[in-house]
Amino acid sequence: MRRVLNQFVYQKGGWTLHMLRYAMGTERFWDGIREYYRLYQNKNASSDDFRLVMERHAGRDLTWFFSQWLTRSGVPRLEGTWSYDAAARQIVVDVMQTQTGEPYRLPLDVGIAGSGAAPPRVERVELLGRDGHFTIRADAEPGEVTIDPNTWLLMEPPVFRKRQ
């Protein structure tokens, strides 16, 4: 039993709930948590019971999320580049998953910082396979572009740089 319930299991469990909140939205997530608690307080429940409650509140199927985060070992590893296309007024972002095994499905925030003191703008994209190519509207070249600036995803630290 000691080998099954180790520190990584608890940490990944906490991370999984954190990522589920990101995927669903904070209000829907907490509504689902409250309903799950109300339905199963002092009773036995399974991961599928939890998933079904959370799906009702998310308004969509979350089988993919629970499958990849509860049944797989390892975490994603991302590498990528970005550039600014001044003529098209857009940022071009290329991201690749480099971990071994199947790619993860990842809702992914892209942070766009201007040259001033304004807080970075965050745009969400969805990486559905091993590679993703995204364009994001921007009237001026950003000072910096980052992946997951608010640390929503459990992953290796990404390698992300401006394309020369």
Side-chain angles (χ1 to χ4, degrees):
M1 182 69 133
R2 188 173 286 227
R3 289 187 345 213
V4 174
L5 298 176
N6 59 37
Q7 185 177 6
F8 181 73
V9 170
Y10 287 108
Q11 289 175 351
K12 188 171 181 183
W15 266 103
T16 300
L17 289 172
H18 179 69
M19 291 184 293
L20 181 60
R21 181 170 66 104
Y22 169 70
M24 292 177 63
T26 297
E27 187 174 328
R28 289 182 182 141
F29 173 81
W30 286 113
D31 288 346
I33 291 291
R34 282 188 287 275
E35 181 182 347
Y36 178 76
Y37 182 76
R38 184 182 54 77
L39 290 173
Y40 294 102
Q41 181 181 7
N42 300 318
K43 298 178 187 172
N44 292 328
S46 68
S47 297
D48 278 338
D49 294 327
F50 181 64
R51 177 183 54 81
L52 290 170
V53 170
M54 299 314 275
E55 284 179 344
R56 276 197 301 276
H57 287 275
R60 65 189 188 324
D61 179 59
L62 294 171
T63 303
W64 66 270
F65 179 91
F66 283 81
S67 177
Q68 80 180 14
W69 292 110
L70 295 183
T71 65
R72 287 178 63 176
S73 61
V75 296
R77 185 179 317 130
L78 301 180
E79 294 182 12
T81 60
W82 69 274
S83 62
Y84 182 69
D85 181 338
R89 291 185 161 183
Q90 63 187 13
I91 302 162
V92 179
V93 175
D94 290 296
V95 180
M96 180 172 63
Q97 296 188 51
T98 61
Q99 76 279 352
T100 57
E102 292 296 312
Y104 288 79
R105 176 177 171 180
L106 299 173
L108 186 63
D109 280 352
V110 177
I112 303 159
S115 56
R121 179 175 115 213
V122 176
E123 296 286 337
R124 186 180 290 191
V125 299
E126 190 159 6
L127 185 58
L128 297 173
R130 179 96 27 215
D131 303 300
H133 178 82
F134 308 100
T135 57
I136 300 168
R137 180 108 177 106
D139 290 332
E141 182 169 0
E144 183 179 29
V145 176
T146 56
I147 293 293
D148 193 30
N150 297 314
T151 317
W152 281 107
L153 297 175
L154 174 60
M155 66 177 162
E156 295 287 332
V159 177
F160 194 67
R161 61 182 165 69
K162 184 175 182 181
R163 191 171 336 158
Q164 299 302 324

